[in-house]
Amino acid sequence: MSTAPTLLSVERLSKSYGGVHAVRGVSFELKGGEILALIGPNGAGKSTCFDMLNGQTRSSSGRIKLLGQDTTGRKPREVWRLGVGRTFQITATFPTMTVRENVQVALLSFRRQLFNVWASTPRFAEVEAGHLLELVAMGGYAERPCGELAYGDLKRLELAIALANEPKLLLMDEPTAGMAPRERIELMRLTARIAREKSIGVLFTEHDMDVVFEHADRILVLNRGTLIAEGSPEQVRRNPEVRAIYLGEGLVYDARHREGASA
Amino acid sequence: MAFYVVQFLTGLASAASLFLVASGLSIIFGVTRIVNFAHGAFYMLGAYAAYTLTERLSGAFGFWAGILGAALIVAAVGVLVEMILLRRIYHVPELFQLLATFGLTLMVEDLVVLIWGPSDLLGRRAPGFKGAVDFFGQNIPTYDLFLIVLGPIVLAALWLMFQRTRWGVLVRAATQDRDMVAALGVNQKWLFTSVFALGVFLAAFGGALQIPRDAVNHAMDLRIIVDVFVVVVIGGLGSIVGAFVAAVLVSELNAFGILIFPKISIILVFLVMAVVLIVRPWGLFGKPEAAARRTPGLTLNPWRPLTTQERMLALAGLILALAVPLVAGNYALTVGSEIAIFVIFAASLHFLMSVGGLASFGHAAYFGLGAYGVAFLAKLAGLPMLLCLLLGPLLGVLGAAVFGFFAVQLSGVYFAMLTLAFAQIVWSVAFQWVELTGGDNGILGVWPEKWAASPSHFYCLSIGIAALAVAALRVLVFSPFGFALRANRDSPLRSEAVGIDGKRIQWTAFVIAGGIAGVAGALFAYLKGSVFPDSLGISLSVDALVMVLLGGVDTVSGAVVGAIIYKALSIWLVSQTDLSKLVLGGVIILIVVAFPKGVVGVLETIRNRRRSHSKDSSLLRSQIESAE
Amino acid sequence: MKLSVEALNSYYGPAHILFDVALDVGDGEVVALLGRNGAGKSTTFRSIVGLVAQRSGRIVFEGRDVSDQPTHAIASRGLGYVPEERRIFTDLTVDENLEVGRQPARPNAPQWTREKLFSLFPNLAEMRGRTGGRMSGGEQQMLTIARTLMGNPSLVLLDEPSEGLAPRIVEQMVEAILTMKREGLSIMVSEQNLHFTRLICDRAYIIERGRICFSGTMSDLDARPDIRDAHLAL
């Protein structure tokens, strides 16, 4: 993995809102196929970081480079076109369409066919949409109304949509929030498999330490807008500062993590 | 110089009433999330009630007691309205709330004429404020000075009430999360009622205070409501300070605009509003609206193109419609043409609303612009009919392109208010620019050429164009463009994240809808042989909304059915009664309260229920839980 | 018995969400309602406090049937509800948030003053004048509990208090809940984090697809790994 090229490089990224420094001088790199977790207390600046990476929020200073290209200050749809897929903490899908149509819309947009009045959407790129759904094990749900899906299935659909633009980088904001523990593990395994196969870099935020410690290759710890630690799961878990600020005594996750690992 | 100072003070005095009404609207919206269209009606009722009371009660005390008493009486009416009507519609979509309160406005308009008669009423002058102060040779009425002082006093009183009392804290809390306030043991029903009463009191007080300055008449409700919408759009809905600042701004613009563009002073206000919207889309003191929470349990079935069988049925319906001239007389065919024209108009709005999620309250603007476009081309340029029909709607396209650009920057109630204000601006221009439009007299003599002149030919032409328009819109719904538009409506966040330029898509849809409305307007001009400012008016916009609502917003082509039923009914109604507004208003309220899904929506629900009778609802449950 | 729920059925529009849910909470007890997302935990709580319009069944609180009462009447009898997404009034200050929750003291429930709450949640004391929107997630979670306690409830329903919080904050939450229990408050918590639950609860119910499918003590639950695996997927 160390030989893979740098996919994303963030240099001294900062954001302040009216005098409040939400993010201060955050720098890190991410390689293709690598899974990087961003953790920290609520309000540490994780979401702000995410929003800056995908263009939802403008940074106050600093640079974001995707495959050598400067994307600082680009709009979300421009960043998306450069190959960044995103899933949201609260799933964002199109509830009045079928599962397949959800993916088809993303494909239409990727192929710049949105103003094509003559095409019929329900028949557009059916095969490719089907492949994407197969990839996230949703092939059997293609014709279902998206509004009827269970929460875990919605998360997988969101992943399929996020993969429609053949992304090089996936940004996942609390991908497993609100899911049952087993579903969490399945979703993260799926994500990891796709990331390795397609050499996609994944950056995710997460509060469930079991997911983080099990699936992240590397972890960044953010506190009050500053990176306070970076390293392998083991290094981060042992870091006394991270324990004091964030992880605590391990009463509410450690044991569970061990169980999950042995299961 | 003195003249300008006086002009400035006049503006400030007008701002007082505007502020009272706008702050009332803002307060009510803040807590109930209802944009109370009937606010203008309460303002008008306040003025009428004050007129009656001040005529009866004598002396200075009688006058002021009359003013205050009028506001209190109307506030009591407001309490009744809240308890009887609003409590039933707090949970329906905002569009329906706007429509229901508009229905109320219609009813009040007819009731006012019934009680006080149709002519203007001149009220008493305010005792103690009858004179004027001399300012370097210019007169300033002392009553104006009184109003100038009153505005800030009311502002301060409201501020103290909201910041320093427990009631104010509870109201501000309820503004954010009513359920949570209830879960903390506060009886929110009475909180809502008290807030509504306060808001209505402010509106009625504003109206009552106008009687020494202006004549009381039954059109003052719509005039003020448009100004108030402009004020709250500029100031920011929910902000009292914003209402004050914007009321002053708008009043001053009106006061000085008259000096610059005497005919079309409203243009100045429009320009300022446009600038504010670009810089701060939620108004000067407003806050970005949180995304509306979806009502759980409203699963929508994905739309499907028609099956072959359904296509055949539609074709059969069309052939049947084209066979009508074989049996019907001229009057029936003229009515039929009018219905066909309104099918086009309603379908264009329906496209914007159901696919785009954009509920325009001023769609008549583009219908009317299409009609005026034809009139200009036919009368001024003398072009042949076919060319006029093709080019006339371009005026609607142009209007939709300009206004749509600003309107799509906003969503929800802001969008509704803004489109209404735009339409009203177009109406004012048509009304006031007499040299070009003939003003109230309209443009006459726009008759079809010989080949389309007979009622049966014109009928077939209208039906043909209507069928084309509806079919084209359906194709659009299922084209990538339609899906992109719907994607943006379903989840702006997700659609932006898959590279869809939402604003551009919405703007395009707005222009398309405006163009098709323009086609309807163009035909309408030829049907009537004339064009009047009415074809740009609020009531026509609302007619279209009711047609869409009646057909069912969540359907693909419900508007076709809605337009046929509504137009036929209203033509019949106007022939039967003088109180058509009263009946129509009642019907609108009834639809909102009893059949919010519309005719086609209800039919579809029944069909779906029969089809999926035994379907397990567990999936739905998990979705609802997670949606919470 | 503090609260007893029998044959609770709830609906959202055409969807039947809860099926004959029955549960009870004894005086001074801390009881867990466990289940996956979408199993019906939030709906159960919302139904108990009357925030779900269509429901049927019997809800008896302190010996009185409150099934037909509106939300505010249930709350002012002393049944407190802390919702899942915290739902702080973000435009209001900490003090104002607490003011909204203030209700007179009750004879059968622990009494809370601002001072007592600030000693329970020391972070809040330092930010009395700050608006809710400018607080971190953990601080908001504390404020929302404090706000409900201002109503001097005798029973509190806590919906997923640990969701989305830093592990260290969750540990503080454990302390706070144990203190509330020592004061004599009855508590029902909905949770997904079994470890958090173990630290605070006496008994647990498991809900799955809108039906209660297990009821017992925490050690009963530990003795039934099959149930745990099937419904909590741990």
Side-chain angles (χ1 to χ4, degrees):
Chain A
M1 199 177 308
S2 55
T3 57
T6 300
L7 186 65
L8 172 75
S9 92
V10 174
E11 292 162 30
R12 293 208 297 260
L13 198 60
S14 297
K15 174 74 189 177
S16 49
Y17 299 96
V20 181
H21 296 284
V23 173
R24 275 186 272 202
V26 168
S27 304
F28 63 90
E29 292 197 338
L30 174 62
K31 292 183 179 6
E34 188 184 17
I35 298 183
L36 182 62
L38 180 62
I39 65 171
N42 276 70
K46 300 191 298 288
S47 301
T48 312
C49 260
F50 251 61
D51 288 348
M52 285 190 284
L53 288 178
N54 113 302
Q56 213 118 11
T57 303
R58 215 169 236 283
S59 58
S60 305
S61 65
R63 301 233 145 273
I64 303 164
K65 276 189 185 162
L66 186 72
L67 280 174
Q69 220 177 344
D70 195 328
T71 66
T72 323
R74 301 274 187 104
K75 289 186 178 132
R77 56 173 187 274
E78 295 168 347
V79 176
W80 174 82
R81 210 159 271 290
L82 291 171
V84 178
R86 175 159 190 186
T87 68
F88 295 93
Q89 185 183 344
I90 297 162
T91 52
T93 52
F94 309 127
T96 67
M97 303 178 191
T98 66
V99 169
R100 197 211 317 271
E101 285 165 357
N102 265 270
V103 181
Q104 281 170 319
V105 168
L107 286 168
L108 277 167
S109 173
F110 184 53
R111 299 188 187 169
R112 301 181 186 275
Q113 296 291 314
L114 289 180
F115 285 90
N116 178 349
V117 177
W118 304 114
S120 161
T121 309
R123 281 193 291 273
F124 183 88
E126 274 182 282
V127 179
E128 291 88 333
H131 283 323
L132 281 170
L133 289 172
E134 292 294 342
L135 194 61
V136 297
M138 290 282 292
Y141 292 81
E143 303 302 327
R144 293 278 278 278
C146 168
E148 281 181 7
L149 290 187
Y151 194 65
D153 296 337
L154 270 180
K155 289 267 185 187
R156 281 187 290 157
L157 170 59
E158 219 191 11
L159 185 57
I161 297 173
L163 291 170
N165 61 335
E166 298 159 17
K168 302 168 189 83
L169 172 67
L170 265 183
L171 298 174
M172 301 175 83
D173 202 352
E174 300 205 17
T176 72
M179 292 174 93
R182 183 172 289 162
E183 289 177 315
R184 291 178 190 212
I185 288 167
E186 276 168 12
L187 182 81
M188 288 313 288
R189 281 194 185 143
L190 178 70
T191 309
R193 206 192 72 219
I194 294 170
R196 310 266 192 252
E197 274 172 16
K198 303 188 179 258
S199 193
I200 297 173
V202 177
L203 177 67
F204 73 107
T205 66
E206 187 57 68
H207 276 297
D208 186 320
M209 289 307 112
D210 300 327
V211 168
V212 170
F213 289 137
E214 174 142 357
H215 296 282
D217 297 323
R218 213 149 47 89
I219 299 175
L220 304 170
V221 188
L222 207 57
N223 185 46
R224 291 171 192 257
T226 318
L227 273 187
I228 58 164
E230 177 178 356
S232 70
E234 205 48 37
Q235 288 168 330
V236 166
R237 195 165 4 178
R238 296 236 175 95
N239 184 322
E241 195 185 354
V242 178
R243 287 190 93 94
I245 287 171
Y246 183 65
L247 290 178
E249 298 307 310
L251 293 174
V252 292
Y253 66 91
D254 248 352
R256 199 163 117 220
H257 175 54
R258 257 180 263 118
E259 264 178 21
S262 65
Chain B
M1 185 60 213
F3 172 73
Y4 290 106
V5 172
V6 170
Q7 200 66 11
F8 178 75
L9 291 177
T10 310
L12 273 189
S14 314
S17 270
L18 197 53
F19 162 62
L20 286 177
V21 186
S23 65
L25 187 87
S26 244
I27 291 168
I28 291 175
F29 174 80
V31 177
T32 64
R33 295 284 129 179
I34 287 184
V35 173
N36 179 26
F37 209 126
H39 221 61
F42 288 123
Y43 166 84
M44 176 168 73
L45 279 178
Y48 272 108
Y51 170 83
T52 301
L53 286 180
T54 51
E55 290 297 304
R56 299 276 157 81
L57 306 170
S58 56
F61 176 78
F63 178 86
W64 295 109
I67 298 279
L68 218 58
L72 287 172
I73 290 171
V74 177
V77 173
V79 167
L80 284 180
V81 167
E82 198 272 345
M83 290 171 67
I84 296 169
L85 173 63
L86 297 190
R87 281 186 186 181
R88 291 173 206 281
I89 60 169
Y90 281 133
H91 293 287
V92 307
E94 54 204 15
L95 156 72
F96 294 168
Q97 298 169 341
L98 258 173
L99 265 176
T101 49
F102 182 80
L104 202 61
T105 307
L106 283 179
M107 295 176 79
V108 170
E109 279 183 7
D110 263 1
L111 286 176
V112 161
V113 175
L114 266 184
I115 298 172
W116 283 283
S119 45
D120 287 14
L121 303 174
L122 273 176
R124 265 170 75 187
R125 309 284 300 280
F129 295 96
K130 284 183 178 160
V133 178
D134 182 75
F135 184 83
F136 295 105
Q138 303 273 339
N139 277 335
I140 305 171
T142 47
Y143 190 70
D144 277 13
L145 294 177
F146 162 75
L147 288 178
I148 292 171
V149 176
L150 186 72
I153 290 177
V154 172
L155 176 65
L158 287 175
W159 189 85
L160 283 176
M161 233 164 127
F162 281 102
Q163 296 295 326
R164 291 283 178 267
T165 67
R166 178 171 162 89
W167 180 84
V169 171
L170 294 180
V171 168
R172 282 189 294 137
T175 300
Q176 255 189 299
D177 192 336
R178 334 167 188 172
D179 281 354
M180 203 52 235
V181 170
L184 290 167
V186 178
N187 188 343
Q188 48 156 359
K189 264 190 185 168
W190 289 109
L191 203 59
F192 276 38
T193 308
S194 63
V195 165
F196 196 77
L198 175 66
V200 171
F201 173 83
L202 288 169
F205 191 43
L209 285 173
Q210 280 303 89
I211 59 167
R213 298 183 91 209
D214 267 328
V216 182
N217 65 63
H218 61 274
M220 60 195 289
D221 57 341
L222 286 186
R223 224 174 40 221
I224 191 92
I225 201 71
V226 170
D227 278 352
V228 164
F229 280 2
V230 170
V231 164
V232 292
V233 165
I234 292 180
L237 254 184
S239 164
I240 299 172
V241 177
F244 185 80
V245 172
V248 170
L249 188 66
V250 167
S251 301
E252 292 302 344
L253 283 172
N254 279 331
F256 287 99
I258 296 230
L259 306 178
I260 304 167
F261 308 105
K263 287 282 177 198
I264 40 177
S265 56
I266 198 155
I267 294 284
L268 200 60
V269 176
F270 165 67
L271 289 176
V272 170
M273 185 162 73
V275 170
V276 168
L277 285 175
I278 291 170
V279 183
R280 286 190 61 98
W282 296 278
L284 295 174
F285 292 83
K287 266 186 266 172
E289 231 180 315
R293 292 163 79 105
R294 288 188 78 86
T295 321
L298 263 181
T299 45
L300 293 159
N301 285 302
W303 290 338
R304 290 260 149 265
L306 292 181
T307 60
T308 317
Q309 192 192 359
E310 286 163 333
R311 265 182 212 166
M312 288 299 152
L313 267 173
L315 198 64
L318 180 62
I319 291 169
L320 217 62
L322 285 173
V324 169
L326 299 177
V327 290
N330 281 351
Y331 175 72
L333 286 176
T334 309
V335 169
S337 304
E338 192 165 343
I339 290 177
I341 289 168
F342 276 85
V343 164
I344 304 173
F345 182 37
S348 71
L349 178 64
H350 186 260
F351 175 73
L352 199 58
M353 281 170 69
S354 68
V355 190
L358 299 166
S360 168
F361 268 63
H363 204 51
Y366 316 105
F367 179 90
L369 281 174
Y372 273 102
V374 161
F376 294 152
L377 291 172
K379 295 293 289 183
L380 304 181
L383 293 183
M385 175 174 172
L386 215 49
L387 216 51
C388 287
L389 273 181
L390 281 171
L391 298 181
L394 289 183
L395 195 58
V397 170
L398 188 70
V402 173
F403 294 138
F405 177 80
F406 296 105
V408 300
Q409 308 299 322
L410 304 180
S411 58
V413 288
Y414 278 89
F415 179 86
M417 289 191 296
L418 195 60
T419 46
L420 179 92
F422 283 149
Q424 212 41 23
I425 287 164
V426 177
W427 179 86
S428 312
V429 172
F431 193 77
Q432 290 173 14
W433 199 352
V434 181
E435 293 84 349
L436 185 69
T437 64
D440 208 11
N441 296 321
I443 301 175
L444 306 177
V446 190
W447 295 112
E449 284 165 16
K450 219 177 226 152
W451 58 271
S454 83
S456 63
H457 286 184
F458 196 83
Y459 171 81
C460 288
L461 178 71
S462 307
I463 291 279
I465 294 180
L468 268 180
V470 171
L473 283 171
R474 275 199 81 103
V475 168
L476 211 53
V477 169
F478 293 102
S479 77
F481 176 78
F483 270 75
L485 185 60
R486 189 139 61 95
N488 189 65
R489 178 203 72 183
D490 275 8
S491 170
L493 190 64
R494 170 51 69 199
S495 68
E496 173 82 27
V498 295
I500 296 173
D501 185 345
K503 297 281 172 248
R504 194 165 144 227
I505 295 270
Q506 287 186 327
W507 186 31
T508 311
F510 197 94
V511 173
I512 291 172
I516 293 181
V519 170
L523 276 172
F524 191 69
Y526 277 116
L527 176 75
K528 296 286 173 189
S530 54
V531 182
F532 296 102
D534 277 358
S535 59
L536 298 151
I538 292 181
S539 62
L540 198 64
S541 292
V542 172
D543 280 354
L545 282 166
V546 177
M547 291 175 205
V548 172
L549 192 63
L550 195 62
V553 184
D554 291 333
T555 60
V556 184
S557 299
V560 175
V561 177
I564 295 172
I565 296 178
Y566 179 82
K567 201 63 208 171
L569 259 181
S570 69
I571 290 174
W572 176 77
L573 195 66
V574 168
S575 69
Q576 297 295 313
T577 169
D578 287 338
L579 299 174
S580 57
K581 281 187 195 167
L582 190 66
V583 179
L584 182 60
V587 169
I588 293 177
I589 292 175
L590 188 75
I591 294 175
V592 169
V593 173
F595 308 105
K597 278 186 163 181
V599 176
V600 179
V602 167
L603 291 178
E604 276 184 358
T605 311
I606 293 169
R607 202 178 58 185
N608 286 333
R609 195 171 291 162
R610 207 177 290 157
R611 202 189 298 155
S612 61
H613 194 62
S614 57
K615 199 171 67 189
D616 182 18
S617 55
S618 63
L619 288 172
L620 187 58
R621 168 180 51 252
S622 62
Q623 232 249 303
I624 287 163
E625 275 262 329
S626 50
E628 283 172 10
Chain C
M1 197 57 61
K2 194 49 104 187
L3 172 77
S4 123
V5 174
E6 288 164 34
L8 180 64
N9 284 275
S10 292
Y11 309 81
Y12 284 122
H16 193 167
I17 310 293
L18 295 183
F19 299 84
D20 292 325
V21 166
L23 43 84
D24 42 48
V25 182
D27 280 319
E29 219 184 0
V30 182
V31 180
L33 180 63
L34 301 168
R36 305 191 295 176
N37 242 58
K41 301 188 298 292
S42 294
T43 306
T44 304
F45 280 9
R46 291 169 53 83
S47 301
I48 292 174
V49 296
L51 284 172
V52 175
Q54 297 167 268
R55 52 167 185 169
S56 66
R58 233 169 96 81
I59 299 160
V60 178
F61 175 60
E62 293 183 334
R64 252 181 236 258
D65 189 336
V66 295
S67 322
D68 297 325
Q69 305 251 333
T71 302
H72 70 90
I74 297 174
S76 51
R77 284 193 187 286
L79 203 166
Y81 164 62
V82 180
E84 187 178 16
E85 321 90 328
R86 313 199 239 282
R87 290 166 78 168
I88 282 298
F89 305 118
T90 47
D91 292 344
L92 273 58
T93 63
V94 168
D95 264 336
E96 286 172 335
N97 264 285
L98 295 178
E99 172 64 26
V100 177
R102 185 171 60 83
Q103 281 182 58
R106 254 171 275 278
N108 59 344
Q111 282 188 33
W112 301 90
T113 57
R114 278 192 168 77
E115 283 59 42
K116 209 164 138 191
L117 286 170
F118 288 147
S119 69
L120 184 65
F121 301 114
N123 292 10
L124 294 184
E126 298 156 19
M127 46 183 75
R128 295 179 70 153
R130 189 180 295 186
T131 52
R134 301 189 56 181
M135 302 168 79
S136 74
E139 288 156 0
Q140 288 190 349
Q141 183 66 51
M142 291 172 188
L143 177 57
T144 178
I145 294 177
R147 184 179 64 181
T148 298
L149 293 181
M150 279 298 282
N152 300 308
S154 61
L155 167 70
V156 172
L157 306 179
L158 283 176
D159 200 357
E160 305 223 23
S162 80
E163 171 75 22
L165 295 185
R168 200 181 67 95
I169 306 289
V170 177
E171 287 171 9
Q172 289 180 10
M173 201 59 76
V174 169
E175 281 310 307
I177 291 174
L178 290 177
T179 309
M180 284 153 62
K181 184 185 179 183
R182 275 195 299 275
E183 292 278 334
L185 201 60
S186 314
I187 300 170
M188 185 157 203
V189 210
S190 87
E191 257 307 325
Q192 302 201 42
N193 183 336
L194 196 54
H195 297 278
F196 174 73
T197 314
R198 268 205 201 94
L199 294 169
I200 55 173
C201 292
D202 313 310
R203 272 194 313 124
Y205 292 93
I206 295 179
I207 187 167
E208 175 69 26
R209 288 173 178 261
R211 293 179 171 86
I212 297 286
C213 62
F214 170 86
S215 151
T217 63
M218 289 311 285
S219 43
D220 289 345
L221 181 59
D222 284 335
R224 293 286 305 273
D226 54 320
I227 289 196
R228 222 177 56 191
D229 289 352
H231 301 295
L232 304 177
L234 272 168

